[in-house]
Amino acid sequence: MTSSGEDTPSGDDAETLDVESLAATRRDEAMDSDQRRLLVFAGDRDAGIDAAFDVVRGADVPDDEVTFVTTREGFRFDRVEPRQASRLLGTTRTIVVLDAHEDFSANTLGRVAGAVDGGGLLVLLTPPPDEWVARRDSFDERLAVPPFTTADVSDRFRGRLVSTLRDHPGIALVDLDTGTVERDGAYRQGITFDTSLPTVPRERRFPRRGYEDCLTADQADALEALEALAEPGNAVVVEADRGRGKSSAAGLAAGSLAAEGRDVVVTAPGRRNAAEVFVRTERLLRELDLYDTGSADEFDLSSSRGGRVRYVPPTEAGAAAADADALVVDEAAALPVRLLTSFLDAPSVAFCTTVRGYEGAGRGFAVRFRDRLDDSDHEVTDVRLDDPIRYAAGDPVESWTFRALLLDARPPVAQLITEATPHNVEYRTLTPDELLADEHLMREAFGLLVLAHYRTEPDDLARLLDAPNLTLRALTYEDRIVSVALLAREGNLDAETRRHMYDGGRIRGNMLPDVFTSQLRDEDAGVPVGYRVMRIATHHVVRSSGLGSHLLSAIRDEFDGDVDYLGVGFGATPELLSFWRENDYGTVHLSTTRNDTSGEYSALMLLPLSPAGHTLHDRHAAWFVQRIGDVLGDALSDLDPDVARAALASVGHSSEGGPGDADDEPLLSDYEWRVVVGASYGPGLYTTAPGAFRRLALAHLTSPERVSLSDREERLLVRKVLQTHPWSAVADELDFHSTAQCMRALGDAYEPLVDEYGGEVAHDERERYQ
Ligand SMILES: CC(=O)SCCNC(=O)CCNC(=O)[C@H](O)C(C)(C)COP(=O)(O)OP(=O)(O)OC[C@H]1O[C@@H](n2cnc3c(N)ncnc32)[C@H](O)[C@@H]1OP(=O)(O)O
Ligand SMILES: Nc1ncnc2c1ncn2[C@@H]1O[C@H](COP(=O)(O)OP(=O)(O)OP(=O)(O)O)[C@@H](O)[C@H]1O
């Protein structure tokens, strides 16, 4: 590390406005340091857009290196709608103008800021700061979840954002209404980091030229790790913050493989996101004199040795790569887990993923996919790039976005909290004002939510600070956060809103009332009021020590007598279902479509707290049991049998008695009992009356403690009897030697069920075979 100058204090004295020269100076400074600078123009929108044009002129940047992110149309520059800002992920621009006057969100800011090149400028157009903070815009409307209105939405997020604009280094702040430069943003970096230079490994498979094309030692190390792609059965995970050159490393690897005559498939959320991969591949093939046809612009290149590198959209990439030699996945963090899993069909695969840029689309990769990858047949190699390439270390725009959006928020370091137990922690409400006043606390709480969840994004910070329906609870150990839960208030909806939902209209928030009303046809479901646990996370070093359960029980004690129920909806796994069941939440629904991001089916569970909550819970639990047999034979026929078992085992857990007991109807008719007994104890056939077998299977799976069946027997009930998979497939999946053996095992599994659930007729029938 060397010192190369000192911070220049920002211009406190107001200066007369000359946007072009301000832009020229900041641009020179940015180019000298290979960092970026932020110019903020606050005031009238048209004046802001004029100023942005002046910036482009003053900075002397060609039009085709400029992107305007705005709802306005009619510019000569590349234009991106704020809601489409993810188009900029993985791309490199010299100037990005973000017009925050309309459709501004924290997510948009997070997505665009990383695209600005070293030496470039980020330009932010805002209303006058105080007005911006106070006004209610389309983002606030999204936070105003019924029955709340925009008047209930607070202004903390933008207030905090504006205060960072006023004091963070490297930011120029111009008041367009008065024509004054409040801060000139002059900033000479105090520190530079010596980046070590790349070297060519002595033992290598890829061409020397590929290594010579690397810009940092980190990138060369990544390329060396990517050599594993040449052999089937390998997976390489390349992790880095934004702009560290991971796409380029992947491009050099793809080019090296094509140079050997290999067929490489490249995928990314959109073609544009993979542009850098192809630029590097084309350049390398040309340098090696092995270029044959295609171009980076066509996202398809071939080498004179018969190799090929081509882009395939994510939905088709797994299948395409199964017949290719290797798959490169860029921006993997932005892809759903279901697709990531499909990529394991490729002989070898590289996943390039952004670590702290959760602006991409959350942490599905790390939170939900990483375990599956480790359990797969692929040998996994990890490599990490730290040295920045797109812009130099110490970049003030990066440190500002990290700070303003908490992109680098982290839970407390492990050593500080290893001693935490349910007996020595404190249950606390963390109000938004407390969080704002204690940056440290806010970073730990948010950092834990980000690390543990696949869906946390910058907008969630704004929600946490401003949304009237959200509230945060935590367990702290010596003032460090060890477990945290984000709660959303739902229900208490008026008749008109409920009718609107019942008629198919969408309302914001209110996930549980919404599903109960619109999908499950219960117009009264929005009357009771409850808290939905939107997120819960325990620090990974103290998981499984009862803290999550302790937090849920403290929440229950706090809200008992205040609301009608507590609820939750989450991507269902057997472990999570059992966690919620242990905490007395009962299953009332399984969604019939998979979640886009996690690839899992969602489970909804309720814990009633009042008579109205009990009524709501009990009718939905009963309806769930009535319909689930048919649903498992239809839309949920591919549901993991262990998820089905765990979901069914959790039904009715918190109601008085089980759903089976609530039903006075006999489980099976006398005739059906004779068929079931015949098929278990005697020579009869399951196929004669599958409905009878299904009802008995459901009775068992919703009260599995009554009869002890093995895991395999229960899976058999789910796969064959409830999901009606063909015998051969079930036999195969559950490792039976033959379908005949599988059929016999089903009969055997029903014997103890006949013993437990059968009445006189069943037991008399059984006597005949004994
Ligand atoms: C709406 C939602 O937020 S649902 C998503 C829940 N959150 C997450 O998945 C984030 C990552 N996971 C976590 O932070 C934690 O595992 C939590 C919050 C699920 C549980 O917190 P903990 O403090 O570990 O809970 P606690 O110790 O009371 O109970 C642990 C039990 O939960 C179950 N469990 C839940 N998730 C898992 C899991 N991924 N792996 C293993 N067991 C799990 C187990 O039954 C476990 O019991 P065991 O340790 O005896 O095997
Ligand atoms: N070896 C290289 N040679 C030339 N330019 C490079 C090289 N490596 C990286 N770059 C340039 O640095 C910038 C960042 O590189 P790249 O896009 O590969 O990084 P990244 O980590 O994938 O970034 P992001 O997370 O934004 O996708 C790009 O402009 C790219 O062209």
Side-chain angles (χ1 to χ4, degrees), residues 673-685 693 744 746-756 762-770:
W673 273 119
R674 286 201 299 278
V675 174
V676 173
V677 176
S680 47
Y681 281 99
L685 290 176
F693 286 85
R744 270 196 305 280
L746 187 70
D748 293 347
Y750 272 86
E751 287 184 8
L753 300 186
V754 168
D755 299 348
E756 170 72 16
H763 293 159
D764 287 350
E765 186 72 10
R766 181 183 59 187
E767 296 302 311
R768 303 182 57 152
Y769 306 110
Q770 285 185 330

Side-chain angles (χ1 to χ4, degrees), residues 452-453 533-538 543-546 548-549 568 578-579:
H453 271 278
V533 183
M534 264 179 83
R535 305 257 202 276
I536 180 164
T538 296
R543 283 192 195 154
S544 291
S545 12
S549 303
V568 65
S578 98
F579 169 72

Side-chain angles (χ1 to χ4, degrees), residues 491-511:
N492 189 23
L493 302 173
D494 60 30
E496 196 188 327
T497 311
R498 285 186 273 122
R499 196 173 322 114
H500 175 67
M501 286 197 306
Y502 193 76
D503 292 342
R506 298 306 310 264
I507 63 152
R508 284 180 301 276
N510 287 284
M511 190 250 250

Side-chain angles (χ1 to χ4, degrees), residues 427 473 487 531 533 548-563 565-566 580-585 606-609 614 653-654:
Y427 174 65
R473 297 291 179 277
L487 310 178
Y531 273 102
V533 183
S549 303
H550 183 65
L551 179 56
L552 285 180
S553 93
I555 289 170
R556 177 183 182 165
D557 291 346
E558 179 186 341
F559 290 106
D560 202 358
D562 181 17
V563 295
Y565 63 86
L566 297 172
W580 290 101
R581 179 170 61 133
E582 290 298 315
N583 285 288
D584 293 337
Y585 287 67
L606 286 183
L607 166 59
L609 296 178
H614 273 286
H653 195 77
S654 52

Side-chain angles (χ1 to χ4, degrees), residues 159-243:
R160 180 173 176 275
L161 188 68
V162 163
S163 79
T164 63
L165 291 174
R166 290 201 161 115
D167 68 11
H168 199 85
I171 298 180
L173 181 57
V174 176
D175 181 341
L176 290 171
D177 293 345
T178 58
T180 48
V181 178
E182 287 187 13
R183 306 180 65 201
D184 66 6
Y187 176 66
R188 292 274 157 207
Q189 69 183 90
I191 297 172
T192 56
F193 294 83
D194 295 325
T195 306
S196 48
L197 293 172
T199 50
V200 181
R202 217 171 316 171
E203 299 271 320
R204 67 191 146 70
R205 174 180 187 128
F206 285 168
R208 156 177 284 277
R209 187 71 215 202
Y211 289 95
E212 287 169 351
D213 278 353
C214 289
L215 292 182
T216 61
D218 272 359
Q219 201 172 42
D221 290 346
L223 183 60
E224 194 176 356
L226 287 163
E227 291 198 351
L229 294 181
E231 300 295 337
N234 281 303
V236 183
V237 177
V238 185
E239 281 194 339
D241 285 342
R242 300 282 303 272

Side-chain angles (χ1 to χ4, degrees), residues 93-152:
R93 315 292 298 151
T94 307
I95 292 184
V96 174
V97 178
L98 173 56
D99 171 5
H101 286 267
E102 205 178 330
D103 272 357
F104 174 80
S105 72
N107 277 1
T108 308
L109 175 60
R111 285 170 186 151
V112 307
V116 181
D117 202 5
L121 302 175
L122 176 64
V123 180
L124 186 62
L125 311 182
T126 73
D130 294 340
E131 203 180 292
W132 193 32
V133 173
R135 83 173 190 183
R136 301 281 71 113
D137 61 15
S138 60
F139 187 68
D140 299 307
E141 276 163 31
R142 281 194 270 153
L143 300 196
V145 163
F148 298 98
T149 66
T150 38
D152 300 310

Side-chain angles (χ1 to χ4, degrees), residues 88-92 114-115 117 210 212-216 219 240-250 252 273 276-277 279-280 283 330-331 352-354 385 389-391:
L88 288 175
L89 287 176
T91 64
T92 302
D117 202 5
E212 287 169 351
D213 278 353
C214 289
L215 292 182
T216 61
Q219 201 172 42
D241 285 342
R242 300 282 303 272
R244 266 61 182 171
K246 54 188 176 313
S247 308
S248 300
L252 292 170
N273 304 119
E276 292 295 342
V277 176
V279 169
R280 269 332 111 211
R283 186 172 135 188
D330 203 5
E331 306 290 347
C352 302
T353 136
T354 309
L385 288 83
I389 291 184
R390 183 171 293 136
Y391 39 82

